[in-house]
Amino acid sequence: MKLSMPLVYAGNPRESADQVVALEQAGLDMIWVAEPYGFDAPTLMGYLAAKTERVQIAAGILNVYSRTPGALLQTAAGLDNVSGGRAVLGLGASGPQVIEGFHGMPYDRPLTRTREVIEVVRAGLRGERLDFQGKTIQVPLPEGQGLGLGKPLKLLNKPERADLPIWVAALGEKNVAMTAEVADGWLPFLYYPEKAQEVWGSALARGAAKRSGDLAPLEICAGGLVAIGEGPETKALLDFMRPMYALYVGGMGARDKNFYNQLACEYGFEKEAREIQDLYLSGKKKEAEALVPLEWLEAGNLVGPASYVQERIAAFKESGVTNLSVSPASDNPAATIAQIKEWVS
């Protein structure tokens, strides 16, 4: 297994980015840089490229709406160049709250949009002219739109790699099947290893059956908080994850369109999912957090004695995870990364 972690920052991402050098030296293989509606990810990724030598630098994720496919191609190829072939393009549809509320773009046909973006970006990385007439993407603009002066163009620079990895964040059945068919890697969220096959197994199998032989087997990145220690004070660190779980299950999207709430139901937490959402949307966030099932928190994170953390690593690996993503909860994150790296190797 490879070892990765999300770049966690509050207020000043540069300070967190400066810590990645020590994490790289400790054995970290990949760093994920998020872009919800804060600072943009590519700027931080370029900063990380200049400060590191080996670690892969991954967008986790760029949405497929707010940048054109051509802009995503330029960004991915540019980052791959300045990092010496260490860039990973993570893509996703995000959600209507961000796409329509922050970017002012219609949240339209997310699966089709993601598939078409991947096709256009890959063509550009191969050095081909962008000539694509799809359902959500038309490059160049078709006759009758704009000034009618567009013509197929290719990237001016030679990309570092034609096979730059493209990962997709997906939860829904159709989206996961599409990811298993066309992407290099899959980014699930709020992952429960023992229930992954039950929830996503059929979708992954359907996608894999259509997967091109030119692609390597699908990689999967998942994980959570990691804290190694004996006693109740270590287990109590799981409570730090309650606000995030409650936010996504209770407060993301509309009441009748929340991907994470549906995931909780598919895991078997229908009652809790409904109650968490009711409480969260009525402003009772602390009460909602208290209802996040401990079973889910324990399964989706790696918190406890060393032997228990090793058991959780094994569970993630057995479920198909090839890239363990961890967020160290310790005074010495580099030491935690070094220990986990030893266990996953």
Side-chain angles (χ1 to χ4, degrees):
M1 289 173 93
K2 291 183 179 179
L3 186 61
S4 69
M5 67 173 285
L7 181 66
V8 179
Y9 60 85
N12 189 345
R14 187 177 64 250
E15 294 178 356
S16 297
D18 288 342
Q19 300 172 12
V20 175
V21 174
L23 298 172
E24 177 184 52
Q25 293 172 349
L28 189 70
D29 297 301
M30 182 184 294
I31 187 79
W32 293 98
V33 183
E35 185 188 76
Y37 47 96
F39 292 153
D40 73 298
T43 297
L44 281 172
M45 293 172 71
Y47 182 77
L48 287 168
K51 296 184 71 67
T52 58
E53 297 178 356
R54 180 189 57 81
V55 69
Q56 286 185 287
I57 303 167
I61 57 155
L62 303 182
N63 77 75
V64 295
Y65 290 99
S66 62
R67 293 178 179 87
T68 66
L72 286 167
L73 166 63
Q74 290 176 299
T75 298
L79 287 169
D80 209 37
N81 177 264
V82 298
S83 66
R86 293 185 286 134
V88 174
L89 178 61
L91 297 173
S94 185
Q97 283 183 317
V98 172
I99 301 306
E100 297 185 354
F102 188 76
H103 294 292
M105 306 284 291
Y107 192 76
D108 185 40
R109 308 180 78 168
L111 271 69
T112 302
R113 177 79 180 182
T114 304
R115 181 188 286 271
E116 292 185 350
V117 164
I118 291 172
E119 190 168 342
V120 173
V121 170
R122 283 210 173 116
L125 289 171
R126 291 193 298 267
E128 299 174 10
R129 296 184 185 275
L130 301 190
D131 191 356
F132 185 89
Q133 298 300 314
K135 296 177 180 178
T136 68
I137 295 168
Q138 293 84 42
V139 184
L141 280 177
E143 187 176 348
Q145 294 188 33
L147 297 177
L149 299 177
K151 61 180 182 180
L153 299 172
K154 66 178 180 179
L155 199 65
L156 283 173
N157 310 94
K158 186 179 186 300
E160 193 83 7
R161 294 178 294 169
D163 59 350
L164 184 154
I166 299 178
W167 290 57
V168 175
L171 288 179
E173 185 175 340
K174 291 181 180 179
N175 202 359
V176 171
M178 183 272 295
T179 300
E181 178 186 349
V182 304
D184 296 292
W186 173 41
L187 291 162
F189 189 54
L190 303 179
Y191 190 79
Y192 191 138
E194 286 83 356
K195 296 190 177 184
Q197 178 64 30
E198 176 186 343
V199 173
W200 291 302
S202 61
L204 289 168
R206 285 200 310 276
K210 299 178 182 179
R211 190 173 179 85
S212 169
D214 294 334
L215 293 173
L218 183 73
E219 292 194 56
I220 301 174
C221 179
L225 186 75
V226 59
I228 308 165
E230 305 283 343
E233 65 277 4
T234 298
K235 279 293 185 183
L237 293 173
L238 284 170
D239 289 336
F240 286 108
M241 300 302 289
R242 289 185 178 277
M244 184 187 75
Y245 278 64
L247 166 64
Y248 280 91
V249 174
M252 282 291 182
R255 181 179 290 276
D256 60 347
K257 194 174 182 62
N258 181 323
F259 310 127
Y260 312 99
N261 190 278
Q262 179 60 37
L263 176 62
C265 293
E266 291 174 356
Y267 281 157
F269 303 125
E270 296 93 340
K271 179 176 180 292
E272 294 89 341
R274 183 177 63 254
E275 293 176 348
I276 289 170
Q277 189 176 62
D278 287 343
L279 288 167
Y280 205 95
L281 294 179
S282 64
K284 299 177 180 178
K285 296 182 180 180
K286 289 297 182 183
E287 290 91 333
E289 293 166 12
L291 292 182
V292 175
L294 180 60
E295 174 193 337
W296 192 4
L297 292 170
E298 289 186 327
N301 295 283
L302 305 95
V303 176
S307 59
Y308 177 79
V309 172
Q310 289 175 282
E311 289 175 10
R312 295 316 303 153
I313 292 172
F316 276 93
K317 186 174 184 178
E318 186 175 348
S319 75
V321 170
T322 59
N323 186 315
L324 185 69
S325 178
V326 297
S327 297
S330 68
D331 295 331
N332 190 343
T336 302
I337 289 294
Q339 180 61 84
I340 298 295
K341 180 66 175 180
E342 180 181 328
W343 289 337
V344 301
S345 297

